[in-house]
Amino acid sequence: MRRILFVLAALGLVTGCTAPKANDPPPGLADRGTQVTTAKPARQDLTNKVSLSGKVTLNPTFGLVAPIDGEIRYLDVKTATGTPTKPTKVANIWVSGKATAVEVPAGAVFAGRLVDDRSKVTAGMPIVSARQAGYGIVADIDGTQAYQVSDQLQSVQAQIKSGPGPFPCTVLGTLAALPGGTIPEPKAPVVNPSSSVAPVAPPTQGQPQQPSEATGMRLVCTGPADAKLINGAAATVEIITAKVTGALVLPVEAVAGSQGKGKVEVIKDDQTREIREVELGLTDGKVIEIKSGLTEAETVAIPGPSIPDAKGGQQPGMGK
């Protein structure tokens, strides 16, 4: 009898360990007592800004890009004797027998070829370096900022530390890094052996042209004429790359992902959860635009969902 009672008691213990508890939460719900922070999408104007550190630089170098795809053919550019008051034509891009001119703007001088003559180029590729005559503001751009500022720049403001500003700053050329420029020697005159006239050496104007050195990725801009600048003075450059009015936004902590596509964890009325893909837009570092995938009436959890990384582990949302 004692053995039978012992066996029955053991079976009762096993059954008690495996049976579901009455207060266990249904699948898809948070554990009882779990504290969850939530947020609802809101509407607000959003501006994408990037702040760069720079300095005032005398005669800064900047790059010009190919306006179209085609074959570049450089022109022989004479050494400038002063600050050019009108654009200087330095090359043509040829496509199907038609030429598109490439010009260094007024106020700057030609500083070098960046690709080989008669090579194929694509639109947006740096092909010519130029040197601004006078002061400019040069701000370095690191790799994490490259794609933030490589799109269209809506406005650029500069502030000189303990000096003038903020004031509008006009961007010169491209933001891409530049290779070292090359300037070929002037072509020697063609000698006709049967001619009795001595060949005339090509004229020289001013000092010999100095080719530009390689640069990192940076922004070069010029301030208004009445802004007093001192070479080497520290400056801050603020770039506005895009603006949107009445954007639907969430705190960045609620979203996993940062460019294009992301995920949020939607909490439904019955407290079940759904991981949902959303289309992302601008961000100011505090909130991020939700272009599609979510409505103002819905609620999301903070922090956002974790997403698997390349090794199969878990990467948290932006706010984790």
Side-chain angles (χ1 to χ4, degrees):
M1 180 61 70
R2 291 180 179 178
R3 290 181 179 179
I4 293 174
L5 292 175
F6 178 78
V7 171
L8 291 176
L11 290 174
L13 289 173
V14 172
T15 304
C17 291
T18 58
K21 297 179 181 179
N23 60 354
D24 280 350
L29 291 181
D31 293 336
R32 189 180 299 277
T34 300
Q35 182 66 37
V36 177
T37 304
T38 63
K40 283 183 175 289
R43 296 269 178 192
Q44 72 173 64
D45 296 345
L46 198 59
T47 300
N48 194 20
K49 297 180 181 179
V50 179
S51 184
L52 304 174
S53 297
K55 64 180 180 179
V56 178
T57 303
L58 187 61
N59 302 332
T61 298
F62 61 95
L64 302 176
V65 301
I68 58 173
D69 297 351
E71 180 184 276
I72 187 168
R73 300 180 188 176
Y74 288 104
L75 306 178
D76 291 328
V77 182
K78 295 180 179 180
T79 303
T81 57
T83 302
T85 57
K86 61 181 181 179
T88 304
K89 187 175 179 179
V90 294
N92 286 312
I93 308 297
W94 286 87
V95 181
S96 301
K98 295 183 179 180
T100 300
V102 178
E103 295 180 329
V104 171
V109 297
F110 172 71
R113 303 177 179 184
L114 302 182
V115 297
D116 293 334
D117 190 33
R118 294 182 177 269
S119 60
K120 299 294 183 181
V121 297
T122 58
M125 177 188 296
I127 55 173
V128 170
S129 61
R131 189 173 289 112
Q132 175 69 11
Y135 287 115
I137 297 175
V138 178
D140 292 328
I141 301 172
D142 64 34
T144 61
Q145 299 167 318
Y147 287 95
Q148 290 179 276
V149 300
S150 61
D151 297 328
Q152 182 177 359
L153 306 180
Q154 292 200 356
S155 68
V156 177
Q157 297 276 327
Q159 170 70 59
I160 308 301
K161 187 176 181 179
S162 302
F167 51 77
C169 205
T170 303
V171 176
L172 300 176
T174 180
L175 305 184
L178 306 178
T182 59
I183 298 178
E185 294 292 333
K187 292 181 180 179
V190 178
V191 179
N192 185 352
S194 63
S195 174
S196 58
V197 180
V200 179
T204 59
Q205 299 183 17
Q207 297 296 322
Q209 292 173 291
Q210 297 297 319
S212 62
E213 297 181 354
T215 71
M217 190 173 185
R218 63 185 191 171
L219 178 146
V220 181
C221 65
T222 57
D226 59 352
K228 183 180 179 180
L229 303 179
I230 300 175
N231 191 39
T236 298
V237 179
E238 184 180 80
I239 304 170
I240 295 179
T241 60
K243 292 182 179 180
V244 63
T245 303
L248 188 68
V249 301
L250 279 174
V252 294
E253 294 86 358
V255 182
S258 60
Q259 291 188 6
K261 295 292 184 181
K263 292 183 179 181
V264 297
E265 187 173 14
V266 179
I267 301 178
K268 298 182 179 180
D269 293 339
D270 61 359
Q271 297 304 300
T272 58
R273 301 183 184 188
E274 174 194 352
I275 304 298
R276 187 183 300 173
E277 287 193 356
V278 291
E279 184 181 0
L280 305 178
L282 298 183
T283 180
D284 63 1
K286 296 180 179 179
V287 297
I288 189 167
E289 179 186 8
I290 307 298
K291 288 187 172 183
S292 64
L294 202 64
T295 67
E296 292 180 71
E298 295 181 291
T299 301
V300 301
I302 297 177
S306 296
I307 55 177
D309 60 21
K311 297 180 181 179
Q314 293 292 313
Q315 286 187 335
M318 292 177 63
K320 293 186 180 181

